[in-house]
Amino acid sequence: MNIRKILNELSEPFHALQNRLFAKLYFAQTISLLGDAFTWVGLALLSYQFGKERSALILSSALTLRVVAFIIFSPFAGVLADRIDRKKILYITHFMRMGIVACMPFITAEWQIYVLVFLLNVFNAFFTPTYKSVIPTIVDKAIYRQAIGLSTATYQLLGMLGPGLAGILAIWLGAREIFFVDAVSFILAGILIVTLPGNLIKKSKEVLSNEKPLTTWQDVVKGARLLFKNKLIRFALSIEFVSAIAGAQILVNTIGHVKSGLHLTDKHYGLVMSAFGIGAAVAAFVSGAIDKSKSRKVSLIVGALILALAISSANYMNYSFLLGLWVLAGLGQSLAEIPSETLIGENIAEEEQGKVYGSHFAFSHLWWAIAYPVAGFLGSSFPNTNFLYGGIMTMILLAIAYSFFRPKRQSSHLKPSV
């Protein structure tokens, strides 16, 4: 009976695939994310080729440029998603990203990494908030949590399990050639996006005729105001900052630790990142069952704490123990980050969700823009204790977030913000 209950909990997110439109959008995302995983492993390997001792700085700089693009452009993407046909935004930005990825095998200088990463993520900044804002408009509220859980679980699984596959492909094809695999994945995903029925993905509700339309900048400001006005979402955002500090340590410094600290290979790096992805995916699948409260406070706090503890001892563990720690870290990362998107869908009015998702995308990546340079500094300056210092920093920030931002009282009559 218990086994059957566990299986039902794990399969619950897949119920959302009964919605055919969501299923098509989901599979487009799945194919694209698999290709994205190849891109970031390729960039990590290229960074190591350009300078072994500088790989952490090169990769952290590229990742910082990535989130800078998100911070600048995603709030405007959210506003556009509330105003124009979202399908057009999806397929135009998707094919632009495909063209940029196809240029990456020909990188010959470090500065080219930075230029292409920034351009790629300018279009990512428009694609991702639009994708997220589409989900609540095409699925029933009864399965919205399952749809978000499945989407996030897939993001986590392929974002981190993909490096394992990419590491194997890199051995067969070479580090640069895996970018071509990514470009092919964009073509397949693009076909699914183009075939989406445009009449089912429309802009949000028009403003009432007696209301004066807001300017683009006013809409951007309103999205940020709605995001921080809700105390549940505000606490979730503070935990996302805590999670970013720890997560950046993993994304930036794992390759240096595995290859220079443990003296292992690209394949081992891919496998340890896959362990992180497996943990993240499992947590994404079961997060809805673990914490069904309105605030998701338990999931947020426990997730950040597990993440902090997992990375703190990584410098002193051998490869086998590192695999286990990264599974736990993945569990913590998902538990700490998933609730924000669900809280927006449940607490923000539908006609305002595009701008709020865009604002959330910008601010959540602002946290990473802060976290990546910190991780790069710790990785370069303290290569033997970087994870320890990152874990201590994470625990201190978690204590601050818990003390100052947690909802003091859970309201039973929360209504969507307008």
Side-chain angles (χ1 to χ4, degrees), residues 231-232 295 297 406-414:
K231 63 182 180 181
L232 302 182
S295 68
K297 185 165 61 176
R406 82 181 190 279
K408 299 299 190 297
R409 184 187 305 173
Q410 181 174 314
S411 176
S412 61
H413 57 277
L414 288 172

Side-chain angles (χ1 to χ4, degrees), residues 171-192:
I171 295 173
W172 291 342
L173 303 176
R176 294 177 181 271
E177 284 72 12
I178 62 174
F179 290 116
F180 289 120
V181 178
D182 191 3
V184 171
S185 74
F186 270 97
I187 294 174
L188 297 176
I191 292 172
L192 288 173

Side-chain angles (χ1 to χ4, degrees), residues 1-66:
M1 184 66 181
N2 289 334
I3 295 178
R4 181 179 297 178
K5 184 178 180 181
I6 292 172
L7 291 175
N8 287 336
E9 294 287 0
L10 289 173
S11 64
E12 186 179 7
F14 291 98
H15 296 169
L17 293 177
Q18 295 174 359
N19 181 308
R20 293 184 179 181
L21 183 56
F22 172 73
K24 184 174 287 191
L25 193 65
Y26 165 77
F27 286 117
Q29 179 214 28
T30 300
I31 296 170
S32 180
L33 287 174
L34 184 59
D36 285 345
F38 294 162
T39 294
W40 289 106
V41 167
L43 287 173
L45 296 174
L46 280 181
S47 298
Y48 198 78
Q49 289 178 9
F50 279 112
K52 295 180 181 180
E53 71 285 351
R54 299 184 62 251
S55 62
L57 284 176
I58 294 172
L59 190 56
S60 65
S61 298
L63 291 170
T64 301
L65 283 173
R66 175 177 183 256

Side-chain angles (χ1 to χ4, degrees), residues 295-315:
S295 68
R296 312 298 195 282
K297 185 165 61 176
V298 173
S299 175
L300 291 164
I301 295 171
V302 171
L305 182 60
I306 290 174
L307 183 56
L309 293 174
I311 69 170
S312 296
S313 58
N315 291 118

Side-chain angles (χ1 to χ4, degrees), residues 54-168:
R54 299 184 62 251
S55 62
L57 284 176
I58 294 172
L59 190 56
S60 65
S61 298
L63 291 170
T64 301
L65 283 173
R66 175 177 183 256
V67 294
V68 166
F70 291 158
I71 293 164
I72 295 172
F73 294 101
S74 58
F76 299 96
V79 171
L80 285 178
D82 282 340
R83 295 186 177 189
I84 66 176
D85 184 355
R86 292 174 179 177
K87 178 181 175 180
K88 289 182 179 178
I89 299 175
L90 290 175
Y91 72 72
I92 290 173
T93 56
H94 181 81
F95 284 112
M96 292 300 295
R97 292 187 301 157
M98 182 188 72
I100 294 169
V101 166
C103 295
M104 289 185 172
F106 308 105
I107 290 175
T108 57
E110 183 180 324
W111 67 267
Q112 294 170 359
I113 295 177
Y114 304 140
V115 171
L116 290 178
V117 165
F118 183 78
L119 291 176
L120 177 67
N121 290 288
V122 167
F123 294 103
N124 263 336
F126 282 85
F127 179 88
T128 306
T130 304
Y131 168 82
K132 292 180 178 180
S133 68
V134 166
I135 296 176
T137 68
I138 62 176
V139 301
D140 296 331
K141 288 187 177 181
I143 63 170
Y144 175 63
R145 187 181 296 188
Q146 291 96 312
I148 288 293
L150 181 61
S151 179
T152 305
T154 303
Y155 177 87
Q156 296 286 8
L157 181 62
L158 294 181
M160 298 304 170
L161 187 58
L165 299 175
I168 295 171

Side-chain angles (χ1 to χ4, degrees), residues 264-377:
L264 298 173
T265 66
D266 293 344
K267 181 180 178 181
H268 290 92
Y269 165 68
L271 290 174
V272 77
M273 293 305 293
S274 296
F276 180 70
I278 290 171
V282 170
F285 279 120
V286 302
S287 61
I290 292 175
D291 186 0
K292 296 185 178 181
S293 66
K294 289 185 179 295
S295 68
R296 312 298 195 282
K297 185 165 61 176
V298 173
S299 175
L300 291 164
I301 295 171
V302 171
L305 182 60
I306 290 174
L307 183 56
L309 293 174
I311 69 170
S312 296
S313 58
N315 291 118
Y316 311 102
M317 297 295 172
N318 62 25
Y319 181 71
S320 298
F321 280 102
L322 185 65
L323 286 170
L325 287 176
W326 261 218
V327 170
L328 290 175
L331 286 166
Q333 188 99 46
S334 280
L335 292 175
E337 293 193 348
I338 286 177
S340 292
E341 292 181 25
T342 307
L343 289 170
I344 291 172
E346 292 177 346
N347 293 281
I348 302 297
E350 182 179 319
E351 63 270 22
E352 308 285 8
Q353 285 180 2
K355 61 178 69 69
V356 177
Y357 275 113
S359 184
H360 170 262
F361 196 67
F363 279 101
S364 63
H365 283 86
L366 174 60
W367 306 159
W368 288 90
I370 297 169
Y372 282 135
V374 171
F377 170 75

